[in-house]
Amino acid sequence: MKVSSLNKTLILMVLVLATLTTLALGQSNRGGGGGGTRVGFYRSTCPRVESIVQAAVQSAVRANPTIAPGLLRMFFHDCFVNGCDASILIDGTSTEKTALPNSLLRGFEVIDAAKSRLETACPGVVSCADIVALAARDSVVLAGGPSWQVPLGRRDGLVSQASDTANLPAFNDPISVQIQKFADKGLNTQDLVTLVGGHTIGTAACFTFSYRLYNFNNTNGPDPDINPAFLPQLRALCPNGGSGSTRVGLDTGSVNRFDNSFFANLRNGRGVLESDAKLWSDPTTQRFVQRFLGFRGLLGLRFDVEFGRSMSVGSIFPIV
């Protein structure tokens, strides 16, 4: 009788330990963190996952090049809110998708198309979070940028709240706030400058920067960080009192090409968003812009190499 009781106790302890271990492993792999993700995650369960997503992205970007920056922004906006868990895709009232910072995101239909094809090829296997991560990489490549390996194995989140988007980087954030927001995600100042360089493709709506053109900080004049020769061009595109929805390229002269000309524009006072322009006017971040531009006397940085590094899971957006 005593032996039987002892055996039952041991079995119970084993079950409890197994349950706790399972819970711990589940927590380490929730959302989009580095825990549990790896390159080749679907090698045996869905070996064509990357080619299927790539085909969907390629078809969409060839038809509409503005989809490429849209998918890249979608990844950032998803990951900055509670990790890379595809909660940006959830429909409903007061979800992340409905929040003002996400109101102009595009490319959701591409994720839907890729998911549909994957459900045909390998039903119930690939998470939407992994599709978003792959689509971001493929968009950069199609715009002429670098490629990088994407560890997979993220789990899709079930909670999506518009209020959680408050910690997204904003178009008028000072450098100190930008640095803190990126630091909260395990990213340093070099990562900040590198990843904001993703603005080399895409556009911004006039309402996100037109306040810089006319009465900046109640000075009755423009933001002094704007090159006076660039000001008439911006004012023509975004006249005072005009439509706030007009789109303007973030990287003048290279809006659909992924390259380091964005940093040259910052140096020349042609940053469109206030937060972008501050990367040059603030000494803390200016030195990294200079390194991307190959300033003499500074250790150079290659934008294509560093962007892929910062985007690689393990250095970007760890789950918390």
Side-chain angles (χ1 to χ4, degrees), residues 184-195:
D184 289 343
K185 303 300 176 184
L187 300 165
N188 60 31
T189 303
Q190 181 177 315
D191 290 317
L192 160 65
V193 177
T194 302
L195 293 172

Side-chain angles (χ1 to χ4, degrees), residues 33-34 79-80 83-84 167 178-192 195 309-320:
C79 293
F80 252 94
C84 311
N167 70 332
Q178 294 186 59
I179 289 174
Q180 186 58 57
K181 286 182 176 180
F182 276 71
D184 289 343
K185 303 300 176 184
L187 300 165
N188 60 31
T189 303
Q190 181 177 315
D191 290 317
L192 160 65
L195 293 172
R309 181 195 64 78
S310 291
M311 286 289 286
S312 298
V313 175
S315 65
I316 184 173
F317 309 129
I319 198 72
V320 293

Side-chain angles (χ1 to χ4, degrees), residues 71 74-75 77-78 85-92 95-98 102 105-112 115 127-133 156-157 159-160:
L71 290 170
M74 184 189 299
F75 177 67
H77 285 223
D78 180 44
D85 63 355
S87 54
I88 188 72
L89 304 178
I90 297 176
D91 292 315
T95 61
E96 293 170 37
K97 203 181 208 181
T98 67
N102 295 329
L105 289 180
R106 62 185 67 190
F108 293 104
E109 71 282 2
V110 183
I111 305 301
D112 290 341
K115 179 65 171 175
S127 69
C128 290
D130 281 339
I131 296 172
V132 173
D156 292 337
V159 177
S160 183

